[in-house]
Amino acid sequence: MSFIETEEQTALRAAVASLASKYNYRDYVLPLSRKNEPLTELWDEAGKLGFLGVNLPEEFGGGGAGMYELALVQEELSAQGAGLLLMVVSPAICGTIITKYGTDAQKQNWLPKLADGSSKMVFAITEPDAGSNSHQITTTARRDGDDWILNGRKIFISGVDQAEAILVVSRTEDHKTGKLKPALFIVPVDVPGLVKNVQEMDVIEPDHQYTLFFDDVRLPADALVGSEDAALAQLFAGLNPERIMGSAMAIGLGRYAIDRAVEYAKERTVWKTPIGAHQGISHPLAQIKIELELAKLMMQKAAILYDSGDEFGAAEAANMAKYAAAEASIKALDQAIQTHGGSGLTKEVGLSAMLQAARIMRIAPVSREMILNFVSQHSLGLPRSY
């Protein structure tokens, strides 16, 4: 395991940073976010350059690399305030699950489109009554001849309006109780029986959130991904990448905030001295820089473990990375606003709007409390409270 990046990885960082500078936060992302419009131009160009599918197999048009490289792309985009939320779900979660468990036909159909970004697939696991307890999922699928009939509902599903299909986590009807045995289905967004309602969010962001209702949605046999008896393996194949990518996004946002604070602290002069010379300004920024770098190291560890096939080791590291990155990101933005003083709250600077987005990281894709539960039980061996 090495954290010294190869020439190819270093070149990838530089190329992504160059692209992101063209679609930076103030000029591109923030105006679209205020209108709740997706970052389509950035997505399309990133896809054409091969950035969106660096983790997917070369035989299907991907880059043949791993989660380390995809997280690298997300981090560098986010460091310009241009992180792409649907990178977390489309190539990272859905692309990974289909690569590992999809049929040959599913791979041929979906992976090339996910790799070049010409199509998006979103991920639906969260339910209003289950919350963080995925074992309480009530969306069920029953057989009807060769077909499947899907019933249930999902909440907080990102980017449905931009997607061609949804990867839905359900359970088969004969496993409605007891331990979760997930069955994953690829559901077209225009299938009869699917109702999609936009959720009104009080957050400035480019992507819409949806509540989904599945009312006797009929799916062909080949909509099932992998085996209905694959247990949790295929589900968790996507959850570690989700946490790694969430960490990358948070770390990038934190880098963006610190960069803006440092720029301002060098330029802003009070009593003939740049405010960055004062330890009341410099020390908090230095501390956050350290915390961001530590979170990044844990994210890199998680990605390397995942890419090497160590799913259990990656789970611990990915959860720790997501926790650390979210906390450091929020702290970075708060301190960047404080460094700017009153101007940090202005519409022009936009840091206050970004703080809203960063705050999501404490809740999604998994809350910090559930991460602490995971570490308590799996890392420390403490008993469960639930």
Side-chain angles (χ1 to χ4, degrees):
M1 183 185 298
S2 173
F3 299 112
I4 300 174
E5 294 189 347
T6 65
E7 290 184 8
E8 291 81 4
Q9 290 166 336
T10 302
L12 178 60
R13 277 195 188 276
V16 176
S18 177
L19 172 66
S21 67
K22 294 169 52 182
Y23 295 96
N24 65 77
Y25 184 70
R26 289 179 184 171
D27 299 328
Y28 176 75
V29 176
L30 186 55
L32 288 175
S33 297
R34 292 193 187 282
K35 295 184 288 185
N36 204 200
E37 294 181 3
L39 310 180
T40 303
E41 297 85 1
L42 171 57
W43 180 276
D44 290 345
E45 189 165 349
K48 289 176 183 177
L49 292 171
F51 296 154
L52 300 179
V54 294
N55 64 310
L56 299 177
E58 286 184 283
E59 63 183 297
F60 297 109
M67 197 51 53
Y68 187 102
E69 286 74 17
L70 191 65
L72 181 158
V73 171
Q74 180 75 294
E75 182 193 342
E76 292 303 323
L77 289 173
S78 300
Q80 294 290 336
L84 292 167
L85 175 60
L86 293 194
M87 276 187 68
V88 179
V89 290
S90 194
I93 300 176
C94 299
T96 297
I97 290 173
I98 292 172
T99 296
K100 290 191 173 186
Y101 295 101
T103 64
D104 289 340
Q106 288 168 343
K107 292 175 184 178
Q108 292 286 350
N109 181 40
W110 284 105
L111 293 182
K113 296 187 290 187
L114 298 183
D116 67 12
S118 59
S119 184
K120 303 182 184 80
M121 183 184 293
V122 296
F123 185 65
I125 182 171
T126 307
E127 295 186 2
D129 296 328
S132 297
N133 185 3
S134 58
H135 291 275
Q136 294 299 312
I137 284 175
T138 58
T139 299
T140 56
R142 63 177 173 84
R143 286 191 179 276
D144 184 34
D146 291 333
D147 293 346
W148 291 92
I149 306 297
L150 192 65
N151 282 282
R153 56 179 177 160
K154 299 290 181 179
I155 195 169
F156 297 123
I157 309 306
S158 304
V160 176
D161 54 326
Q162 303 174 54
E164 184 180 342
I166 308 161
L167 185 59
V168 177
V169 181
S170 68
R171 63 170 79 222
T172 53
E173 192 174 46
D174 54 337
H175 292 107
K176 289 176 69 173
T177 60
K179 292 185 177 180
L180 174 65
K181 293 190 73 173
L184 276 62
F185 292 91
I186 298 174
V187 180
V189 295
D190 58 356
V191 69
L194 171 59
V195 177
K196 310 177 287 289
N197 292 336
V198 177
Q199 290 179 251
E200 294 295 328
M201 306 295 290
D202 198 19
V203 180
I204 297 171
E205 59 177 348
D207 304 297
H208 291 284
Q209 304 293 318
Y210 283 81
T211 300
L212 305 178
F213 298 90
F214 303 90
D215 185 11
D216 286 338
V217 171
R218 182 174 292 273
L219 300 170
D222 61 6
L224 177 69
V225 177
S227 166
E228 62 181 284
D229 296 318
L232 293 172
Q234 61 188 27
L235 175 57
F236 285 109
L239 296 187
N240 282 334
E242 179 185 51
R243 284 148 176 70
I244 293 168
M245 291 295 287
S247 301
M249 198 167 190
I251 290 163
L253 288 178
R255 284 176 52 191
Y256 177 88
I258 291 297
D259 286 347
R260 300 292 78 76
V262 168
E263 286 176 355
Y264 187 81
K266 289 178 178 178
E267 297 168 358
R268 175 66 169 154
T269 299
V270 178
W271 294 300
K272 300 181 181 181
T273 304
I275 62 172
H278 301 299
Q279 293 172 349
I281 297 293
S282 64
H283 281 190
L285 295 176
Q287 181 181 2
I288 295 164
K289 169 67 173 175
I290 293 169
E291 292 172 7
L292 283 169
E293 290 297 326
L294 291 173
K296 181 175 177 177
L297 281 172
M298 186 57 75
M299 177 193 73
Q300 291 172 319
K301 177 182 179 180
I304 290 171
L305 288 170
Y306 184 84
D307 289 339
S308 70
D310 184 354
E311 292 272 1
F312 185 79
E316 179 184 60
N319 276 285
M320 290 181 174
K322 194 272 179 183
Y323 179 96
E327 297 302 309
S329 176
I330 293 168
K331 192 172 179 180
L333 278 155
D334 185 67
Q335 190 59 43
I337 292 170
Q338 191 70 22
T339 301
H340 280 76
S343 64
L345 299 173
T346 62
K347 194 171 183 179
E348 178 185 4
V349 172
L351 289 171
S352 183
M354 185 178 275
L355 180 58
Q356 278 190 319
R359 185 60 180 79
I360 297 171
M361 302 292 183
R362 272 192 183 146
I363 300 170
V366 60
S367 71
R368 64 177 178 178
E369 289 76 17
M370 288 306 295
I371 290 176
L372 293 174
N373 280 337
F374 179 94
V375 173
S376 298
Q377 294 150 25
H378 294 279
S379 303
L380 301 179
L382 294 171
R384 293 167 65 98
S385 65
Y386 55 92

PDB file of all heavy atoms in Angstrom, residues 14-32:
ATOM      1  N   ALA A  14      -4.125  16.726 -12.533  1.00  0.00           N
ATOM      2  CA  ALA A  14      -3.905  17.989 -13.236  1.00  0.00           C
ATOM      3  C   ALA A  14      -4.955  18.204 -14.317  1.00  0.00           C
ATOM      4  O   ALA A  14      -5.469  19.318 -14.498  1.00  0.00           O
ATOM      5  CB  ALA A  14      -2.499  18.016 -13.841  1.00  0.00           C
ATOM      6  N   ALA A  15      -5.292  17.135 -15.036  1.00  0.00           N
ATOM      7  CA  ALA A  15      -6.274  17.252 -16.116  1.00  0.00           C
ATOM      8  C   ALA A  15      -7.665  17.572 -15.568  1.00  0.00           C
ATOM      9  O   ALA A  15      -8.389  18.408 -16.121  1.00  0.00           O
ATOM     10  CB  ALA A  15      -6.304  15.963 -16.934  1.00  0.00           C
ATOM     11  N   VAL A  16      -8.041  16.922 -14.477  1.00  0.00           N
ATOM     12  CA  VAL A  16      -9.352  17.180 -13.881  1.00  0.00           C
ATOM     13  C   VAL A  16      -9.400  18.590 -13.306  1.00  0.00           C
ATOM     14  O   VAL A  16     -10.400  19.308 -13.461  1.00  0.00           O
ATOM     15  CB  VAL A  16      -9.681  16.139 -12.793  1.00  0.00           C
ATOM     16  CG1 VAL A  16     -11.002  16.475 -12.114  1.00  0.00           C
ATOM     17  CG2 VAL A  16      -9.741  14.739 -13.391  1.00  0.00           C
ATOM     18  N   ALA A  17      -8.328  19.018 -12.655  1.00  0.00           N
ATOM     19  CA  ALA A  17      -8.281  20.369 -12.101  1.00  0.00           C
ATOM     20  C   ALA A  17      -8.424  21.416 -13.202  1.00  0.00           C
ATOM     21  O   ALA A  17      -9.083  22.453 -13.021  1.00  0.00           O
ATOM     22  CB  ALA A  17      -6.986  20.577 -11.325  1.00  0.00           C
ATOM     23  N   SER A  18      -7.816  21.154 -14.349  1.00  0.00           N
ATOM     24  CA  SER A  18      -7.921  22.076 -15.477  1.00  0.00           C
ATOM     25  C   SER A  18      -9.364  22.178 -15.960  1.00  0.00           C
ATOM     26  O   SER A  18      -9.868  23.271 -16.236  1.00  0.00           O
ATOM     27  CB  SER A  18      -7.005  21.615 -16.612  1.00  0.00           C
ATOM     28  OG  SER A  18      -7.143  22.448 -17.745  1.00  0.00           O
ATOM     29  N   LEU A  19     -10.028  21.032 -16.075  1.00  0.00           N
ATOM     30  CA  LEU A  19     -11.432  21.048 -16.473  1.00  0.00           C
ATOM     31  C   LEU A  19     -12.279  21.789 -15.446  1.00  0.00           C
ATOM     32  O   LEU A  19     -13.115  22.639 -15.804  1.00  0.00           O
ATOM     33  CB  LEU A  19     -11.941  19.617 -16.628  1.00  0.00           C
ATOM     34  CG  LEU A  19     -13.460  19.477 -16.851  1.00  0.00           C
ATOM     35  CD1 LEU A  19     -13.871  20.082 -18.183  1.00  0.00           C
ATOM     36  CD2 LEU A  19     -13.889  18.014 -16.753  1.00  0.00           C
ATOM     37  N   ALA A  20     -12.068  21.492 -14.172  1.00  0.00           N
ATOM     38  CA  ALA A  20     -12.886  22.090 -13.115  1.00  0.00           C
ATOM     39  C   ALA A  20     -12.729  23.603 -13.060  1.00  0.00           C
ATOM     40  O   ALA A  20     -13.681  24.315 -12.725  1.00  0.00           O
ATOM     41  CB  ALA A  20     -12.519  21.471 -11.772  1.00  0.00           C
ATOM     42  N   SER A  21     -11.555  24.103 -13.397  1.00  0.00           N
ATOM     43  CA  SER A  21     -11.341  25.549 -13.368  1.00  0.00           C
ATOM     44  C   SER A  21     -12.221  26.268 -14.391  1.00  0.00           C
ATOM     45  O   SER A  21     -12.574  27.435 -14.214  1.00  0.00           O
ATOM     46  CB  SER A  21      -9.868  25.875 -13.625  1.00  0.00           C
ATOM     47  OG  SER A  21      -9.493  25.536 -14.949  1.00  0.00           O
ATOM     48  N   LYS A  22     -12.596  25.555 -15.460  1.00  0.00           N
ATOM     49  CA  LYS A  22     -13.490  26.128 -16.467  1.00  0.00           C
ATOM     50  C   LYS A  22     -14.936  26.172 -15.959  1.00  0.00           C
ATOM     51  O   LYS A  22     -15.753  26.954 -16.464  1.00  0.00           O
ATOM     52  CB  LYS A  22     -13.446  25.307 -17.758  1.00  0.00           C
ATOM     53  CG  LYS A  22     -12.122  25.342 -18.491  1.00  0.00           C
ATOM     54  CD  LYS A  22     -12.067  24.302 -19.590  1.00  0.00           C
ATOM     55  CE  LYS A  22     -13.260  24.360 -20.534  1.00  0.00           C
ATOM     56  NZ  LYS A  22     -13.190  23.294 -21.570  1.00  0.00           N
ATOM     57  N   TYR A  23     -15.253  25.314 -15.016  1.00  0.00           N
ATOM     58  CA  TYR A  23     -16.610  25.214 -14.482  1.00  0.00           C
ATOM     59  C   TYR A  23     -16.587  25.482 -12.973  1.00  0.00           C
ATOM     60  O   TYR A  23     -17.124  24.720 -12.186  1.00  0.00           O
ATOM     61  CB  TYR A  23     -17.180  23.825 -14.765  1.00  0.00           C
ATOM     62  CG  TYR A  23     -17.367  23.521 -16.231  1.00  0.00           C
ATOM     63  CD1 TYR A  23     -16.403  22.830 -16.948  1.00  0.00           C
ATOM     64  CD2 TYR A  23     -18.511  23.944 -16.896  1.00  0.00           C
ATOM     65  CE1 TYR A  23     -16.579  22.546 -18.301  1.00  0.00           C
ATOM     66  CE2 TYR A  23     -18.693  23.673 -18.240  1.00  0.00           C
ATOM     67  CZ  TYR A  23     -17.726  22.971 -18.940  1.00  0.00           C
ATOM     68  OH  TYR A  23     -17.902  22.700 -20.281  1.00  0.00           O
ATOM     69  N   ASN A  24     -15.975  26.578 -12.609  1.00  0.00           N
ATOM     70  CA  ASN A  24     -15.741  26.842 -11.183  1.00  0.00           C
ATOM     71  C   ASN A  24     -17.031  27.235 -10.463  1.00  0.00           C
ATOM     72  O   ASN A  24     -18.061  27.513 -11.075  1.00  0.00           O
ATOM     73  CB  ASN A  24     -14.664  27.915 -11.010  1.00  0.00           C
ATOM     74  CG  ASN A  24     -15.113  29.250 -11.559  1.00  0.00           C
ATOM     75  OD1 ASN A  24     -15.894  29.966 -10.936  1.00  0.00           O
ATOM     76  ND2 ASN A  24     -14.639  29.590 -12.759  1.00  0.00           N
ATOM     77  N   TYR A  25     -16.929  27.285  -9.160  1.00  0.00           N
ATOM     78  CA  TYR A  25     -18.097  27.459  -8.302  1.00  0.00           C
ATOM     79  C   TYR A  25     -18.796  28.800  -8.518  1.00  0.00           C
ATOM     80  O   TYR A  25     -20.008  28.845  -8.736  1.00  0.00           O
ATOM     81  CB  TYR A  25     -17.671  27.317  -6.839  1.00  0.00           C
ATOM     82  CG  TYR A  25     -18.820  27.385  -5.865  1.00  0.00           C
ATOM     83  CD1 TYR A  25     -19.748  26.346  -5.784  1.00  0.00           C
ATOM     84  CD2 TYR A  25     -18.979  28.476  -5.018  1.00  0.00           C
ATOM     85  CE1 TYR A  25     -20.804  26.401  -4.894  1.00  0.00           C
ATOM     86  CE2 TYR A  25     -20.033  28.537  -4.121  1.00  0.00           C
ATOM     87  CZ  TYR A  25     -20.943  27.504  -4.066  1.00  0.00           C
ATOM     88  OH  TYR A  25     -21.994  27.562  -3.187  1.00  0.00           O
ATOM     89  N   ARG A  26     -18.062  29.882  -8.464  1.00  0.00           N
ATOM     90  CA  ARG A  26     -18.697  31.194  -8.531  1.00  0.00           C
ATOM     91  C   ARG A  26     -19.330  31.466  -9.897  1.00  0.00           C
ATOM     92  O   ARG A  26     -20.427  32.029  -9.978  1.00  0.00           O
ATOM     93  CB  ARG A  26     -17.673  32.288  -8.209  1.00  0.00           C
ATOM     94  CG  ARG A  26     -17.249  32.330  -6.749  1.00  0.00           C
ATOM     95  CD  ARG A  26     -16.226  33.424  -6.533  1.00  0.00           C
ATOM     96  NE  ARG A  26     -15.726  33.436  -5.163  1.00  0.00           N
ATOM     97  CZ  ARG A  26     -14.704  34.186  -4.758  1.00  0.00           C
ATOM     98  NH1 ARG A  26     -14.079  34.978  -5.613  1.00  0.00           N
ATOM     99  NH2 ARG A  26     -14.298  34.150  -3.496  1.00  0.00           N
ATOM    100  N   ASP A  27     -18.639  31.098 -10.965  1.00  0.00           N
ATOM    101  CA  ASP A  27     -19.104  31.457 -12.300  1.00  0.00           C
ATOM    102  C   ASP A  27     -20.100  30.463 -12.893  1.00  0.00           C
ATOM    103  O   ASP A  27     -20.948  30.842 -13.700  1.00  0.00           O
ATOM    104  CB  ASP A  27     -17.907  31.582 -13.263  1.00  0.00           C
ATOM    105  CG  ASP A  27     -16.935  32.656 -12.836  1.00  0.00           C
ATOM    106  OD1 ASP A  27     -17.383  33.665 -12.245  1.00  0.00           O
ATOM    107  OD2 ASP A  27     -15.723  32.492 -13.074  1.00  0.00           O
ATOM    108  N   TYR A  28     -20.013  29.202 -12.515  1.00  0.00           N
ATOM    109  CA  TYR A  28     -20.821  28.167 -13.150  1.00  0.00           C
ATOM    110  C   TYR A  28     -21.731  27.427 -12.169  1.00  0.00           C
ATOM    111  O   TYR A  28     -22.960  27.387 -12.344  1.00  0.00           O
ATOM    112  CB  TYR A  28     -19.898  27.170 -13.862  1.00  0.00           C
ATOM    113  CG  TYR A  28     -20.610  25.990 -14.471  1.00  0.00           C
ATOM    114  CD1 TYR A  28     -21.352  26.135 -15.640  1.00  0.00           C
ATOM    115  CD2 TYR A  28     -20.551  24.721 -13.880  1.00  0.00           C
ATOM    116  CE1 TYR A  28     -22.017  25.045 -16.206  1.00  0.00           C
ATOM    117  CE2 TYR A  28     -21.214  23.637 -14.443  1.00  0.00           C
ATOM    118  CZ  TYR A  28     -21.940  23.805 -15.603  1.00  0.00           C
ATOM    119  OH  TYR A  28     -22.594  22.741 -16.154  1.00  0.00           O
ATOM    120  N   VAL A  29     -21.153  26.867 -11.126  1.00  0.00           N
ATOM    121  CA  VAL A  29     -21.919  25.985 -10.243  1.00  0.00           C
ATOM    122  C   VAL A  29     -22.955  26.754  -9.435  1.00  0.00           C
ATOM    123  O   VAL A  29     -24.135  26.367  -9.387  1.00  0.00           O
ATOM    124  CB  VAL A  29     -20.981  25.208  -9.300  1.00  0.00           C
ATOM    125  CG1 VAL A  29     -21.794  24.358  -8.318  1.00  0.00           C
ATOM    126  CG2 VAL A  29     -20.032  24.339 -10.100  1.00  0.00           C
ATOM    127  N   LEU A  30     -22.557  27.846  -8.796  1.00  0.00           N
ATOM    128  CA  LEU A  30     -23.471  28.567  -7.911  1.00  0.00           C
ATOM    129  C   LEU A  30     -24.670  29.142  -8.658  1.00  0.00           C
ATOM    130  O   LEU A  30     -25.811  29.003  -8.182  1.00  0.00           O
ATOM    131  CB  LEU A  30     -22.722  29.652  -7.145  1.00  0.00           C
ATOM    132  CG  LEU A  30     -23.523  30.395  -6.064  1.00  0.00           C
ATOM    133  CD1 LEU A  30     -24.136  29.412  -5.066  1.00  0.00           C
ATOM    134  CD2 LEU A  30     -22.639  31.406  -5.341  1.00  0.00           C
ATOM    135  N   PRO A  31     -24.482  29.791  -9.827  1.00  0.00           N
ATOM    136  CA  PRO A  31     -25.673  30.286 -10.543  1.00  0.00           C
ATOM    137  C   PRO A  31     -26.660  29.174 -10.898  1.00  0.00           C
ATOM    138  O   PRO A  31     -27.879  29.360 -10.773  1.00  0.00           O
ATOM    139  CB  PRO A  31     -25.068  30.918 -11.810  1.00  0.00           C
ATOM    140  CG  PRO A  31     -23.693  31.323 -11.412  1.00  0.00           C
ATOM    141  CD  PRO A  31     -23.236  30.234 -10.478  1.00  0.00           C
ATOM    142  N   LEU A  32     -26.164  28.015 -11.329  1.00  0.00           N
ATOM    143  CA  LEU A  32     -27.060  26.909 -11.644  1.00  0.00           C
ATOM    144  C   LEU A  32     -27.699  26.332 -10.383  1.00  0.00           C
ATOM    145  O   LEU A  32     -28.874  25.960 -10.384  1.00  0.00           O
ATOM    146  CB  LEU A  32     -26.302  25.814 -12.393  1.00  0.00           C
ATOM    147  CG  LEU A  32     -25.923  26.146 -13.842  1.00  0.00           C
ATOM    148  CD1 LEU A  32     -25.067  25.023 -14.427  1.00  0.00           C
ATOM    149  CD2 LEU A  32     -27.160  26.361 -14.703  1.00  0.00           C
TER     150      LEU A  32
END
